[in-house]
Amino acid sequence: MASDELANKLEDTTQSLYDLALVIYNLEDTTPPDTIPENISTLVNHLRTLPKIASKTNEPISQDVLDYVEQGRNPDVYARQFSELVQKDNQYVHGKFKVMEEFQQTLAEEITSAYPKLRNQVDEILGQGSKQDDAS
């Protein structure tokens, strides 16, 4: 799968960047002179292959995720925050739905207690609502 290959190549590229940074940070007189050019060559090779692999991938990436990565932030954090936000919104909507059901039931009881002759119509309306809920 192209997306798996792209993910692996991105990990390799990131590792190459990290390795190069380590070599430069720990540069000493004892460091072999060809270490930095080898690391740069490896990094360049990884960067060259990325566009080829990326062009095979048809999975869209959200602009929000791209912006997040461009800011130097971890996309896994974005995914976790997005998931938590969706969960929170889902709970909020579910709560509103439950409140509306309770209000509907209370209103039906009040109408039937004030107007007993309307019980059949109220029951019919409540029955229609439950049929719609079952259909969705």
Side-chain angles (χ1 to χ4, degrees):
M1 189 179 247
S3 59
D4 292 338
E5 185 181 0
L6 180 60
N8 290 336
K9 188 53 76 172
L10 284 170
E11 287 177 13
D12 292 344
T13 304
T14 303
Q15 185 62 45
S16 295
L17 282 167
Y18 180 74
D19 292 344
L20 181 60
L22 274 177
V23 167
I24 292 171
Y25 181 76
N26 294 325
L27 191 62
E28 297 176 2
D29 293 335
T30 59
T31 305
D34 60 342
T35 304
I36 293 177
E38 283 178 11
N39 281 298
I40 291 174
S41 177
T42 303
L43 177 60
V44 168
N45 288 333
H46 286 303
L47 291 172
R48 278 191 186 133
T49 59
L50 282 176
K52 295 173 192 170
I53 297 169
S55 66
K56 298 178 194 174
T57 309
N58 294 332
E59 297 178 27
I61 299 174
S62 166
Q63 186 61 44
D64 293 340
V65 174
L66 293 175
D67 293 342
Y68 209 79
V69 171
E70 284 179 1
Q71 295 169 4
R73 299 165 80 185
N74 186 340
D76 292 336
V77 173
Y78 176 85
R80 185 179 67 241
Q81 289 174 343
F82 183 78
S83 175
E84 289 170 356
L85 181 63
V86 169
Q87 260 184 330
K88 181 178 135 189
D89 287 349
N90 188 26
Q91 288 175 345
Y92 176 74
V93 170
H94 181 70
K96 287 181 88 169
F97 182 74
K98 284 294 190 191
V99 167
M100 290 304 292
E101 281 182 334
E102 291 172 12
F103 174 73
Q104 179 185 29
Q105 192 61 40
T106 303
L107 181 61
E109 290 170 5
E110 291 296 322
I111 289 173
T112 54
S113 69
Y115 304 100
K117 292 180 182 180
L118 296 177
R119 176 172 294 283
N120 290 338
Q121 287 87 350
V122 169
D123 289 342
E124 184 180 326
I125 292 170
L126 289 176
Q128 288 174 353
S130 65
K131 287 179 189 174
Q132 289 175 355
D133 291 343
D134 293 341
S136 48

